[in-house]
Amino acid sequence: MAVEQAKITFYKVNQAGFYRWGENENPEFGGAAGILAELQGWSRGKQLAMTKTYEPADGSDLLPVYLMDITTDQNGCLVTMWNQTPATEGKVASAMGNSAVGNTEVVMNDIPEGGIPGFATYFWFMPDAGVFASIRFQHLITGQKPMQEFMESYLGQYSGNVVLTEPDPGVDVELLGYRQSSAHPVRTDVYPRFRTQLMRRAGEYDLLLEQAHRIRKIHRKTTLRLNRPEELAFWQKAYQIATLRRPQNLPDIIKFKYEVKAEMNRDQVQEIINSWLADHDREWDDYGFLLSGEQSPHWLSHSIARDEFPLDVDRNNLEIVNPESLLRAITGGLDEILALIR
């Protein structure tokens, strides 16, 4: 075993199950514990490639994910997922870092037959408490959004609550509705939902709301994807305003930071906080609020229930942390980890 630094971030499970149309608070049936238990049974004996529950829409940020493992103990349930990364005609690309801008050398490496290029992500669920944590080791991405999409797509297409009917000609599958169990009637007035939100430490957001009238500047860190026309246009406009020369060879993703003067009220600050908590999934994605009379901004990310912990784990290989060893390490540091949300 070896001690590795793990960054742990807690999330609240806002919705998990089947909800009546227009109702977001209480499910008609379902729940996080039932979903995980059923998912464990559904995946048993399946090949990895057969566990994909959704196909990303064209132009979507999401890529396919697969269920690699579910392991449980007395404290919770660890879900290990495999996140697919892009490939070209059975090869993955690597740009040589020592090559020149404008003449970058790209090496294409073969993917073995049946291989799925990607990386692992880990999610530790405590379903009875309605929370879970993403656990990151060597990668910067939590994979929380693809996991959320995976769970919701599983509920809507593969769970035991799904009721199918004979499809019309030319249709592969036709959904009749959902039901709680075979003893219950089929319903068409409910829909599947699995939605989450970052958990926060108390204090900082309350301060920003109470002191909204003192905000005089907003700092923004964001990641721009230059393959999106609207984000490319924003980046180009920023360079034009700053009278900077744009590079000829554009990267796919850039880190962008800017600041603007602002006057805000409590409702506007609350709207930014809510939107950021619901959509935050990247390291370089933050808002900082500078109050009058202060020199440093108050960053939203500093109030996230997140910290680094040394975990003594085994690895199955260079990429995969052994699930049993990870659960043991979490149990060994349980009090310190849960202090983030207590």
Side-chain angles (χ1 to χ4, degrees):
M1 300 181 77
V3 175
E4 299 190 31
Q5 287 297 118
K7 183 166 285 188
I8 295 180
T9 305
F10 275 94
Y11 298 79
K12 178 183 177 182
V13 179
N14 284 336
Q15 297 173 307
F18 292 84
Y19 294 76
R20 188 189 296 271
W21 290 104
E23 172 62 49
N24 295 321
E25 295 297 327
N26 300 305
E28 295 293 297
F29 50 90
I35 294 169
L36 292 168
E38 185 180 316
L39 192 61
Q40 189 171 33
W42 173 81
S43 64
R44 190 171 294 117
K46 276 187 169 57
Q47 295 181 352
L48 181 70
M50 300 301 294
T51 64
K52 181 171 65 173
T53 64
Y54 69 88
E55 286 290 347
D58 185 33
S60 169
D61 290 339
L62 296 177
L63 289 171
V65 293
Y66 304 82
L67 180 61
M68 180 170 279
D69 185 81
I70 295 184
T71 302
T72 60
D73 67 4
Q74 70 275 15
N75 296 309
C77 175
L78 181 68
V79 176
T80 304
M81 310 210 75
W82 186 253
N83 297 250
Q84 185 172 334
T85 51
T88 303
E89 296 182 358
K91 297 178 183 290
V92 291
S94 298
M96 302 305 294
N98 59 357
S99 56
V101 174
N103 189 28
T104 304
E105 180 185 359
V106 176
V107 176
M108 304 298 293
N109 296 306
D110 290 332
I111 301 170
E113 184 176 353
I116 302 172
F119 60 94
T121 51
Y122 311 89
F123 303 94
W124 177 54
F125 283 86
M126 294 185 292
D128 292 340
V131 302
F132 72 94
S134 66
I135 305 174
R136 292 195 289 111
F137 290 94
Q138 69 267 41
H139 300 301
L140 295 178
I141 299 172
T142 65
Q144 193 274 141
K145 285 185 180 179
M147 182 277 292
Q148 179 177 282
E149 184 72 18
F150 176 95
M151 293 293 188
E152 190 165 289
S153 296
Y154 169 77
L155 278 176
Q157 300 180 53
Y158 300 99
S159 70
N161 306 105
V162 176
V163 181
L164 304 176
T165 186
E166 286 294 325
D168 292 333
V171 178
D172 293 330
V173 176
E174 188 167 342
L175 178 68
L176 182 62
Y178 303 102
R179 62 186 177 189
Q180 185 171 353
S181 72
S182 58
H184 291 81
V186 177
R187 297 178 58 173
T188 58
D189 64 337
V190 296
Y191 64 106
R193 296 280 280 184
F194 190 92
R195 299 299 166 91
T196 67
Q197 185 180 55
L198 278 166
M199 294 188 70
R200 63 183 179 89
R201 297 165 174 165
E204 188 71 3
Y205 296 167
D206 296 333
L207 170 68
L208 289 173
L209 293 171
E210 292 169 1
Q211 301 295 319
H213 62 282
R214 292 180 54 205
I215 294 173
R216 60 182 177 88
K217 188 178 289 187
I218 296 178
H219 297 252
R220 181 73 170 110
K221 295 179 182 178
T222 188
T223 303
L224 296 179
R225 293 170 171 80
L226 299 190
N227 57 356
R228 290 181 167 186
E230 67 277 10
E231 296 192 15
L232 175 61
F234 174 81
W235 179 77
Q236 290 173 329
K237 185 66 173 178
Y239 263 72
Q240 180 182 347
I241 292 173
T243 64
L244 297 173
R245 179 182 294 178
R246 298 192 300 269
Q248 294 181 344
N249 296 287
L250 302 182
D252 291 332
I253 297 175
I254 64 167
K255 292 179 179 178
F256 195 80
K257 181 179 178 181
Y258 59 94
E259 58 186 65
V260 295
K261 293 182 178 179
E263 293 183 359
M264 307 195 72
N265 58 41
R266 183 186 181 96
D267 290 342
Q268 291 169 325
V269 174
Q270 184 69 71
E271 185 178 351
I272 290 176
I273 291 173
N274 291 344
S275 175
W276 184 80
L277 285 172
D279 200 42
H280 176 75
D281 192 46
R282 298 186 300 273
E283 191 84 357
W284 192 265
D285 175 29
D286 210 349
Y287 285 92
F289 298 85
L290 186 63
L291 305 182
S292 59
E294 297 186 4
Q295 299 299 315
S296 300
H298 296 259
W299 293 97
L300 294 186
S301 64
H302 293 178
S303 292
I304 295 175
R306 171 191 291 157
D307 207 345
E308 288 194 15
F309 298 89
L311 298 181
D312 196 1
V313 296
D314 289 325
R315 283 186 176 266
N316 293 345
N317 49 58
L318 288 175
E319 176 60 32
I320 307 299
V321 174
N322 179 270
E324 289 83 4
S325 75
L326 180 49
L327 277 178
R328 287 194 300 270
I330 291 171
T331 298
L334 193 62
D335 290 341
E336 293 82 0
I337 293 171
L338 292 182
L340 281 174
I341 57 174
R342 287 175 175 165

